[in-house]
């Protein structure tokens, strides 16, 4: 059956000023990177806060469909898991766990999300990410695949998004990085429903 594509806002309209946090401008991917990711719309922004100083990298990649028609057959256009992509970018994953996140606007609260610490040389970053699809927050790759098949059969939809927050870790202070993620997520997550439809 034909896929359904729910109405949504474009990320070009996503606010650059969120409380004490501001992003100077939306960032854009080159055509080759975008084609590889398969996202139909995305937000890339580095939100900064003056006092206390902080900055958080935000990526939300929305896939209108995760099925790609190629040469008359069907091909995958699924969301790429960060734990597969980051090592290809030179980052080592030195810590990974699934943790609770409880911020306003999540489809379910608290939600289980991925928490990773990544390293490149002496640099460390804290990463929180999850899949947000049709009113769900999903941490596990296998659950994402199961729900994708389920929703395709029963709802005629395969749309969904990857939501990722990334913060540098200075002086091994993961707690400070974590607080920044929670603070900015409390501003961003309540606004996502307009861009990532339930």
């Amino acid at each position: 059956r034909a896929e359904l594509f729910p109405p949504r806002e474009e990320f070009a309209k996503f606010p650059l000023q969120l409380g004490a946090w501001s992003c100077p401008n939306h960032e854009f991917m080159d055509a080759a990177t975008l084609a590889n990711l398969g996202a139909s719309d995305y937000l890339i922004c580095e939100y900064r806060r003056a006092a206390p100083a902080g900055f958080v990298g935000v990526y939300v990649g929305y896939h209108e469909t995760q099925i790609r028609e190629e040469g008359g057959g069907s091909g995958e256009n699924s969301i790429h898991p960060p734990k597969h992509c980051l090592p290809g970018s030179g980052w080592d994953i030195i810590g990974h766990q699934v943790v609770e996140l409880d911020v306003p606007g999540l489809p379910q609260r608290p939600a289980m999300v991925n928490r990773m610490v990544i390293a490149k040389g002496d640099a460390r970053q804290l990463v929180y990410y999850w899949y947000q699809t049709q009113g769900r927050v999903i941490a596990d790759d296998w659950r994402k695949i199961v729900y994708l098949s389920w929703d395709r059969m029963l709802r005629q939809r395969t749309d969904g998004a990857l939501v990722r927050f990334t913060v540098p870790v200075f002086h091994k202070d993961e707690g400070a990085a974590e607080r920044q993620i929670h603070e900015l997520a409390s501003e961003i997550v309540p606004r996502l429903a307009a861009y990532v439809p339930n």
Side-chain angles (χ1 to χ4, degrees):
R1 295 183 295 172
E3 278 192 83
L4 300 178
F5 303 107
R8 55 176 295 276
E9 294 286 348
E10 298 290 323
F11 277 119
K13 299 178 181 178
F14 199 85
L16 298 178
Q17 185 71 45
L18 298 169
W21 296 87
S22 63
C23 173
N25 53 273
H26 292 106
E27 298 177 35
F28 298 97
M29 289 184 271
D30 61 73
T33 302
L34 184 57
N36 184 50
L37 285 177
S40 51
D41 191 18
Y42 62 91
L43 171 70
I44 301 178
C45 232
E46 188 174 89
Y47 282 88
R48 295 176 174 268
R49 183 185 61 195
F55 57 95
V56 180
V58 177
Y59 171 76
V60 184
Y62 178 74
H63 292 236
E64 182 180 61
T65 176
Q66 294 186 66
I67 305 299
R68 177 184 291 150
E69 295 296 328
E70 297 175 342
S74 63
E76 287 296 322
N77 189 36
S78 60
I79 301 169
H80 295 199
K83 66 182 179 183
H84 295 169
C85 299
L86 286 167
S89 302
W91 290 94
D92 294 318
I93 299 170
I94 60 174
H96 175 253
Q97 58 191 137
V98 176
V99 298
E100 282 189 357
L101 178 66
D102 191 2
V103 297
L106 285 169
Q108 66 260 16
R109 293 178 65 185
M112 304 306 294
V113 303
N114 293 283
R115 180 191 188 276
M116 293 194 304
V117 179
I118 59 176
K120 183 187 287 187
D122 292 333
R124 298 287 185 275
Q125 294 189 347
L126 178 66
V127 180
Y128 268 57
Y129 79 90
W130 64 89
Y131 307 102
Q132 190 157 322
T133 173
Q134 303 178 39
R136 306 182 197 95
V137 171
I138 304 168
D140 300 311
D141 295 335
W142 69 268
R143 288 184 192 275
K144 172 183 70 86
I145 294 168
V146 169
Y147 278 121
L148 177 62
S149 300
W150 179 267
D151 291 334
R152 188 181 186 194
M153 286 189 301
L154 298 184
R155 305 180 72 185
Q156 297 173 256
R157 288 174 58 185
T158 65
D159 57 298
L162 171 70
V163 182
R164 188 185 70 207
F165 294 85
T166 307
V167 183
V169 176
F170 298 113
H171 310 297
K172 301 181 180 180
D173 190 353
E174 292 180 17
E178 202 145 26
R179 286 190 292 276
Q180 290 181 64
I181 288 177
H182 281 254
E183 183 178 325
L184 184 58
S186 295
E187 297 282 354
I188 286 181
V189 171
R191 293 172 167 86
L192 285 183
Y195 303 85
V196 181
N198 291 335

